[in-house]
């Protein structure tokens, strides 16, 4: 299953890539593959913007805008002007516990 | 390994780290503290703890790889609703089997279901489980929030003195935790090398046998019908909870008469709309997620709208539920498919493949549509009421 075409914000800079394979290891959608000792993107539309590759790329070759992809959280952030956060992590603080993940 | 019953009698063992060994059991307070903490562990002992291991990192509970009835019921309850918000285990170190200094270390979240799935996957092998404090949230969601994260992992590794417990320098972190854990920083801060294990805990043993190597299949998260089905109860639960207000609004609209609110007309007039409301909730929150790959568009809002329209159109045009008033039919056909669409769009928060950029893009298009649809429906309903009161 794929989501919208050309919506993912994933970018990859092959010049910075050292071929360490971390991105291939962490990506849950096999977006990266190895080619001639370097990583390359197979299909950007498979990217779900979880951010694991960018976080684990020591060489800054990958960037992706990641965040909570929950519609209710995004609508809330549109209203409040903050970053989208789903409130299920706030269980211990006694906050409202509904929605997403 | 120490049997639980014998542990109670042994006053000389204690959970303070090894370095304080000479200091231990010499003063009555410390002995007392040790006995107290030990009796706490044994008294609050959950069924899945089968013993206690005295290690260089202190006393470590030994957990079984079997699931009891309580564990299975817990899984079901946590998949149904709010129960999962308080379904957690104590963070810290646990042992499986009879681990030693060469055994693998598995990192997990303190959501009980995550922990249960991991320990079940370790059947037949020995190892250490280090549970992070993710506030009772599963690995992937917690990684997204950063609670299953680099700082917490480094703190726990140092806190339990993992380097003193095992002779190797390798930890197995679930692959889906990679969104929160920066392996290079863990290496720098703790000396431990992060191996990202497979996506599914059930592949762990095959992963270890292959020399800590995951096949591409083990690295990929799918979204099979089964994975979607287990999410449906929560989706329905949340949507239905909010629908009480919608039902009330429907009853008020239909009950409202120039003479006041009449319960009889609220019920007789409102019944078809209550049913439409229920059907569009089921369509948006259950049918669309289940049929996800079979609805031939990529936009979730559109998927939901198509499913909603496919359910509403025949109901309104072909059954006695519609047909009483052209205005009411129009309002139902405009409003309810949009409601399904909105609920389907909410499901993006639970899938394994949607993106925040994509959801934002959908909202930019569909939020104005939802607001316009709601406004038009309200105007039509007002016209209908005026007509039925013979004002126009």
């Amino acid at each position: 299953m794929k989501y919208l075409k050309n919506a993912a914000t994933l970018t990859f800079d092959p010049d910075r890539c050292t071929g360490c394979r971390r991105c291939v290891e962490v990506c849950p959608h096999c977006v990266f593959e190895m080619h001639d000792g370097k990583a390359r993107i197979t299909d950007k539309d498979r990217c779900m913007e979880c951010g694991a590759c960018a976080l684990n790329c020591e060489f800054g070759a990958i960037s992706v805008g990641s965040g909570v992809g929950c519609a209710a959280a995004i609508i809330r952030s549109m209203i409040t002007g903050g970053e989208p956060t789903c409130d299920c992590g706030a269980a211990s603080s006694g906050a409202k516990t509904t929605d997403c993940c | 390994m120490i049997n639980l019953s014998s542990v109670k009698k042994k006053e000389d063992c204690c959970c303070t780290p090894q370095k304080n060994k000479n200091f231990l059991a010499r003063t009555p307070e410390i002995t007392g503290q040790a006995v107290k903490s030990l009796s706490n562990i044994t008294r609050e002992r959950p069924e899945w703890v089968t013993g206690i291991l005295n290690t260089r990192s202190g006393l470590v509970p030994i957990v079984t790889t079997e699931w009891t009835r309580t564990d299975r019921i817990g899984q079901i309850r946590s998949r149904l609703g709010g129960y999962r918000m308080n379904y957690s285990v104590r963070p810290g170190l646990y042992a499986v089997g009879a681990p030693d200094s060469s055994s693998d270390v598995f990192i997990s979240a303190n959501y009980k279901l995550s922990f249960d799935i991991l320990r079940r996957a370790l059947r037949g092998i020995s190892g250490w489980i280090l549970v992070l404090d993710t506030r009772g949230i599963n690995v992937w969601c917690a990684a997204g929030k950063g609670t299953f994260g680099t700082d917490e992992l480094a703190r726990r590794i140092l806190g339990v003195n993992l380097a003193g417990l095992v002779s190797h320098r390798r930890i197995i972190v679930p692959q889906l935790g990679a969104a929160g854990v920066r392996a290079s920083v863990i290496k720098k801060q703790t000396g431990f090398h992060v191996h990202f294990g497979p996506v599914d805990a059930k592949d762990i043993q095959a992963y270890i046998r292959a020399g800590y190597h995951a096949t591409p299949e083990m690295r990929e998260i799918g979204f099979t019908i089964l994975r979607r089905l287990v999410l449906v109860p929560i989706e329905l639960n949340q949507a239905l909870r909010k629908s009480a207000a919608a039902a009330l609004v429907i009853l008020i609209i239909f009950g409202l008469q120039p003479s006041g609110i009449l319960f009889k007309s609220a019920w007789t007039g409102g019944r078809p709309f209550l049913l439409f409301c229920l059907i569009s909730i089921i369509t948006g929150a259950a049918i669309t997620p289940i049929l996800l790959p079979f609805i031939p568009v990529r936009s979730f809002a559109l998927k939901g709208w198509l499913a909603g329209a496919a359910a509403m159109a025949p109901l309104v045009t072909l059954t006695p539920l519609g047909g009483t008033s052209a205005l009411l039919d129009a309002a139902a056909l405009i409003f309810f498919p949009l409601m399904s669409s909105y609920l389907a769009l909410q499901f993006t928060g639970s899938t394994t493949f949607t993106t925040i950029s994509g959801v934002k893009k959908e909202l930019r298009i569909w939020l104005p549509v939802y607001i316009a649809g709601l406004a038009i429906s309200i105007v039509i309903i007002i016209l209908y009421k005026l007509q039925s009161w013979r004002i126009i």
Side-chain angles (χ1 to χ4, degrees):
Chain A
M1 262 173 272
K2 289 185 199 173
Y3 196 36
L4 306 183
K5 261 191 191 115
N6 296 321
T9 51
L10 177 70
T11 63
F12 172 68
D13 177 1
D15 293 338
R16 292 192 178 187
C17 178
T18 61
C20 76
R21 306 185 66 96
R22 261 300 185 203
C23 52
V24 181
E25 187 185 5
V26 298
C27 178
H29 287 289
C30 304
V31 171
F32 294 96
E33 64 176 11
M34 295 304 290
H35 181 77
D36 281 346
K38 283 191 178 203
R40 71 174 178 190
I41 293 176
T42 54
D43 181 357
K44 210 176 87 168
D45 288 346
R46 294 165 62 90
C47 173
M48 62 166 298
E49 300 184 331
C50 71
C53 55
L55 182 70
N56 276 287
C57 180
E58 288 179 62
F59 313 99
I62 304 170
S63 82
V64 62
S66 58
V68 176
C70 164
I74 295 169
I75 294 173
R76 253 200 313 277
S77 80
M78 283 172 170
I79 296 165
T80 60
E83 276 291 299
T85 52
C86 54
D87 45 13
C88 38
S92 53
S93 65
K96 191 167 77 66
T97 52
T98 50
D99 298 334
C100 79
C101 52
Chain B
M1 201 188 297
I2 305 166
N3 190 295
L4 271 180
S5 50
S6 67
V7 146
K8 279 183 187 165
K9 289 168 212 150
K10 281 191 170 182
E11 293 201 348
D12 55 343
C13 61
C14 155
C15 44
T16 325
Q18 183 80 359
K19 57 182 181 198
N20 293 334
K21 197 171 67 183
N22 298 330
F23 192 58
L24 276 187
R26 297 280 162 87
T27 67
E29 299 101 84
I30 294 204
T31 314
Q33 260 175 25
V35 170
K36 204 174 145 198
S37 67
L38 191 55
S39 68
N40 271 342
I41 292 175
T42 47
R43 189 168 359 101
E44 295 167 15
R45 183 173 72 94
E47 321 179 80
W48 39 267
V49 171
T50 54
I52 289 177
L53 202 59
N54 193 7
T55 72
R56 301 182 69 182
S57 295
L59 294 178
V60 177
I62 303 167
V63 301
T64 170
T65 56
E66 301 297 321
W67 278 27
T68 63
R69 222 174 93 91
T70 321
D71 298 324
R72 282 188 286 270
I73 291 171
Q75 176 185 24
I76 293 166
R77 288 187 69 185
S78 63
R79 297 237 190 241
L80 290 180
Y83 185 70
R84 66 196 173 128
M85 304 314 298
N86 290 307
Y87 198 51
S88 58
V89 296
R90 196 183 301 187
L93 197 60
Y94 294 85
V96 172
D100 55 28
S101 64
S102 66
S103 300
D104 276 312
V105 180
F106 304 91
I107 311 298
S108 188
N110 80 322
Y111 179 40
K112 170 88 174 4
L113 188 52
S114 305
F115 178 74
D116 279 357
I117 290 171
L118 173 62
R119 68 183 168 89
R120 187 175 60 183
L122 299 180
R123 177 180 297 174
I125 63 172
S126 292
W128 305 99
I129 299 179
L130 183 59
V131 175
L132 306 189
D133 184 1
T134 59
R135 299 180 202 165
I137 303 290
N138 70 72
V139 171
W140 207 6
C141 281
K145 294 169 198 298
T147 46
F148 189 101
T150 313
D151 292 348
E152 166 69 5
L153 178 56
R155 199 162 46 232
R156 292 274 163 198
I157 290 173
L158 300 173
V160 302
N161 186 22
L162 198 62
L165 183 72
V166 292
S167 53
H168 60 78
R169 288 293 173 266
R170 130 195 115 236
I171 52 172
I172 300 175
V173 176
Q175 187 191 327
L176 295 181
V181 170
R182 192 169 212 159
S184 56
V185 175
I186 296 294
K187 175 86 179 163
K188 236 170 267 161
Q189 290 184 356
T190 69
F192 277 87
H193 183 78
V194 172
H195 290 255
F196 287 109
V199 164
D200 259 317
K202 67 172 171 53
D203 293 326
I204 281 181
Q205 300 210 21
Y207 165 84
I208 295 170
R209 278 196 302 274
Y212 306 97
H213 177 78
T215 62
E217 293 76 40
M218 291 182 197
R219 289 256 170 257
E220 192 165 9
I221 179 126
F223 204 38
T224 56
I225 179 86
L226 213 68
R227 259 189 220 274
R228 301 198 298 279
L229 270 176
V230 298
L231 298 170
V232 163
I234 295 261
E235 295 294 319
L236 270 180
N237 186 334
Q238 284 173 354
L240 287 172
R241 201 168 294 181
K242 287 171 195 158
S243 69
L248 193 67
V249 170
I250 290 172
L251 288 174
I252 290 173
I253 288 172
F254 284 93
L256 196 64
Q257 300 297 339
S259 52
I261 293 176
L262 300 180
F263 288 102
K264 189 170 175 295
S265 49
W267 179 239
T268 50
R271 227 167 8 182
F273 265 56
L274 288 177
L275 194 67
F276 292 157
C277 185
L278 183 68
I279 287 169
S280 51
I281 286 172
I282 293 172
T283 310
I287 308 285
T288 308
I290 291 168
L291 296 182
L292 211 57
F294 307 107
I295 305 174
V297 290
R298 288 193 181 184
S299 152
F300 273 54
L302 194 53
K303 277 177 196 276
W305 187 86
L306 286 173
M312 288 305 296
L315 279 177
V316 172
T317 55
L318 301 176
T319 70
L321 292 170
T324 47
S325 146
L327 285 173
L328 279 187
D329 289 357
L333 283 174
I334 290 170
F335 183 77
F336 290 110
L338 287 178
M339 187 164 149
S340 298
S341 167
Y342 180 77
L343 290 171
L345 190 53
Q346 296 300 325
F347 190 62
T348 52
S350 306
T351 72
T352 60
F353 65 99
T354 53
T355 61
I356 184 169
S357 312
V359 178
K360 279 182 176 166
K361 195 171 165 184
E362 290 213 53
L363 279 172
R364 274 197 295 275
I365 300 164
W366 283 87
L367 213 49
V369 175
Y370 296 145
I371 294 168
L374 181 67
I376 294 169
S377 305
I378 290 171
V379 170
I380 294 176
I381 290 290
I382 292 172
L383 286 176
Y384 163 77
K385 292 307 287 190
L386 294 177
Q387 197 186 46
S388 66
W389 293 340
R390 306 198 190 288
I391 293 171
I392 52 168

